[in-house]
Amino acid sequence: MFRILFYLVVVFVLGLGFAWLAERPGDLAITFSGYRYEVSLMVAAVGIVAIVATVMILWWLIRSIWTSPYTVARYFRVRRRDRGYQALSTGMIAAGAGDGGLARRMSQQAAKLISADQEPLIHLLDAQAALLDGDRQAARDRFTAMLDDPEMRLLGLRGLYLEAERLGERDAARHYAERAVEAAPQLEWAVNAALEGKTGEGEWDGALKLLDSRKATGKDERESVASRRAVLLTAKAMDVLDADPQTARTAALEAHKLRPDFVPAALTAARALFRQNELRKGSKVLETVWKKEPHPEIADVYIHARPGDSTHDRLARAKKLQSLKRNNVESALIVGRAALDAGEFQLARESCEAAARLGPRESVYLLMADIEEAETGDQGRVRQWLAKALRAPRDPAWVADGYVAERWAPISPVTGKLDAFEWRMPMERLAQVVESEEDFSPAPSIPAPKEEPETAEAETVVIEAETVKPEPAAKPQEPEKPSEPSPETAKTPPQPPEPPANPAPVNGQKAAPGEAEEPVKPPIPDDPGVEPDDKDASTSGRFRLF
């Protein structure tokens, strides 16, 4: 653009000059070797311009002829380089697509056309082709050769790290990751790998130093670094809580400041403060995190802050937590448990019912079963609540990579990943499938039919069962089929039926051998029996598992 403007300016200046000369006529006389030459001023100017142009053209021709060998060589060199880069590009695309054969051919062609010293990507293409061909040793050799080149060193470390991870050599992988972090602390994969190595060995201080060496630029990166720093500080505080409560307090409070809603940090800080008799400050920390993230462990530590408190004192502290977070399942549950311990059964039942309305789950029905057993001792109702707990959704738990743990841990026991545990509801277990199959299985109190009786007494029972004609089940005077006793008669032992009174067959089927004279057995603890509210169960003679 500037060159075109320059040429336009030059032409414009020349035009102005010739116009100025045309308006001022004159003659130019030159005496040379005894001769006198006279020409007009315009002709002289045109001649001077022509002479300059001729000289420039001659100079260009001479220069072109002189530099023609270099120009020709440069043309072929550029053409060769373009072909090499085209082969390199095709090979990289083939390697990404998984075509090992094409990647190998393009790598060889690119190596012939381009020097590997001038283009380091040839080493990468060669290593990728070796990996696709299954030659792992050749690929490792290529990655090792990259370590000598400052421009390719990080790429070689990355390749060696991945190969060490594939072979399960954790120490070697950690070594390569630490070297990469020393050269470039901003590498995410290197920082994560080095952190996993240090956290796996419990080197919390080393992990913190490694994390501090990383330079976070964006907002998301700074938040990620702060989150992981909080996890490392919490792990350090939990590790030294018994030996050095002061250090644990400092680390846990810093972690709580970085992540105010992080439950493990708040729990560790509160425990350290309670050990130093700072009850008010520790309670304040728990109340702060309770408002953001209600958690059962927070409630447990909060109400048991003073070991000498009575059950009514703990109930008062539970009510205070409930006032901070109303209409919440955890708030209702903690009040219900505290009320049960204090003997306030009505309040415990009301709190448990409120929790069931807010979010029915396993712990709600288990608590209701405890209340029922402590208040009334009605085993039928207790088993009914236990049956509901068996079918209810699972309670939230600490889950990491499919592993469910009772306590939080800084790293995953499966993959070793930092900050992998989450407080959420675990996946539904296969036990629910088994429960659905049990709904169609025979009652536990009735044994399965036997093909061959083992004793003479069993043979007599079989003969009697075949000869006695069963009566229709619709008659009300027929004896009831063995079932769970009602609440009014729960304390009286069941009486065995008379021999002639066999259980009526269901749907007109003949009674199976071995079931006619079987004595009534008490229900097993896992069988909730017939629900007391079901009035038709006593007359129908059917068993109901859940």
Side-chain angles (χ1 to χ4, degrees), residues 255-263 266 285 288-289 292:
H256 176 63
K257 184 178 180 180
L258 292 173
R259 291 178 62 178
D261 58 344
F262 191 41
V263 174
V285 171
T288 301
V289 74
K292 301 180 181 216

Coordinates of all heavy atoms in Angstrom, one line a residue, residues 255-263 266 285 288-289 292:
A255 N -8.4 -22.5 55.3 CA -9.2 -23.2 54.3 C -10.7 -22.8 54.3 O -11.4 -22.6 53.3 CB -9.1 -24.7 54.5
H256 N -11.2 -22.5 55.5 CA -12.6 -22.1 55.6 C -12.8 -20.7 55.0 O -13.8 -20.4 54.4 CB -13.0 -22.1 57.1 CG -14.4 -21.5 57.4 ND1 -15.5 -22.1 56.9 CD2 -14.8 -20.4 58.0 CE1 -16.6 -21.4 57.3 NE2 -16.2 -20.3 57.9
K257 N -11.8 -19.9 55.1 CA -11.8 -18.5 54.5 C -11.8 -18.6 53.0 O -12.5 -17.9 52.3 CB -10.7 -17.7 55.0 CG -10.7 -16.3 54.5 CD -9.5 -15.5 55.1 CE -9.6 -14.0 54.6 NZ -8.4 -13.2 55.2
L258 N -11.0 -19.6 52.5 CA -11.0 -19.7 51.0 C -12.3 -20.3 50.5 O -12.7 -19.9 49.4 CB -9.8 -20.6 50.6 CG -8.4 -20.0 50.9 CD1 -7.3 -21.1 50.6 CD2 -8.2 -18.8 50.0
R259 N -12.9 -21.3 51.2 CA -14.1 -21.9 50.8 C -15.1 -21.9 51.9 O -15.1 -22.8 52.7 CB -13.9 -23.3 50.3 CG -13.1 -23.4 48.9 CD -12.9 -24.8 48.5 NE -14.1 -25.6 48.3 CZ -14.2 -26.8 47.9 NH1 -13.0 -27.5 47.6 NH2 -15.3 -27.4 47.7
P260 N -15.9 -20.9 52.1 CA -16.8 -20.8 53.2 C -17.8 -21.9 53.3 O -18.4 -22.2 54.3 CB -17.5 -19.4 53.0 CG -16.6 -18.6 52.2 CD -15.9 -19.7 51.2
D261 N -18.2 -22.5 52.1 CA -19.2 -23.6 52.1 C -18.6 -25.0 52.2 O -19.3 -26.0 51.9 CB -20.1 -23.4 50.9 CG -19.3 -23.5 49.6 OD1 -18.0 -23.3 49.7 OD2 -19.9 -23.7 48.5
F262 N -17.3 -25.1 52.4 CA -16.6 -26.4 52.4 C -16.7 -27.0 53.8 O -16.2 -26.5 54.8 CB -15.1 -26.2 52.1 CG -14.4 -27.5 51.8 CD1 -15.0 -28.5 51.1 CD2 -13.1 -27.7 52.3 CE1 -14.3 -29.7 50.8 CE2 -12.4 -28.8 52.0 CZ -13.0 -29.8 51.3
V263 N -17.5 -28.1 53.9 CA -17.9 -28.7 55.1 C -16.7 -29.3 55.9 O -16.5 -29.0 57.1 CB -19.0 -29.8 54.9 CG1 -19.3 -30.5 56.2 CG2 -20.2 -29.1 54.4
A266 N -14.7 -26.6 57.7 CA -15.4 -26.0 58.9 C -15.4 -27.0 60.1 O -15.3 -26.6 61.2 CB -16.8 -25.7 58.5
V285 N -18.3 -20.7 63.4 CA -17.9 -21.3 62.2 C -18.9 -22.3 61.7 O -19.2 -22.4 60.5 CB -16.5 -21.9 62.3 CG1 -16.1 -22.8 61.1 CG2 -15.4 -20.9 62.6
T288 N -22.0 -20.7 60.4 CA -21.8 -20.0 59.1 C -22.0 -21.0 57.9 O -22.6 -20.8 56.9 CB -20.5 -19.3 59.0 OG1 -20.4 -18.4 60.1 CG2 -20.2 -18.7 57.7
V289 N -21.3 -22.1 58.1 CA -21.4 -23.1 57.0 C -22.7 -23.9 57.0 O -23.2 -24.3 55.9 CB -20.2 -24.2 57.1 CG1 -20.4 -25.1 58.3 CG2 -20.0 -24.9 55.8
K292 N -25.2 -22.2 54.7 CA -24.9 -22.4 53.2 C -25.0 -23.9 52.8 O -25.5 -24.2 51.7 CB -23.5 -21.9 52.9 CG -23.3 -20.5 53.2 CD -21.9 -20.1 52.8 CE -21.7 -18.6 53.2 NZ -20.9 -17.8 52.3

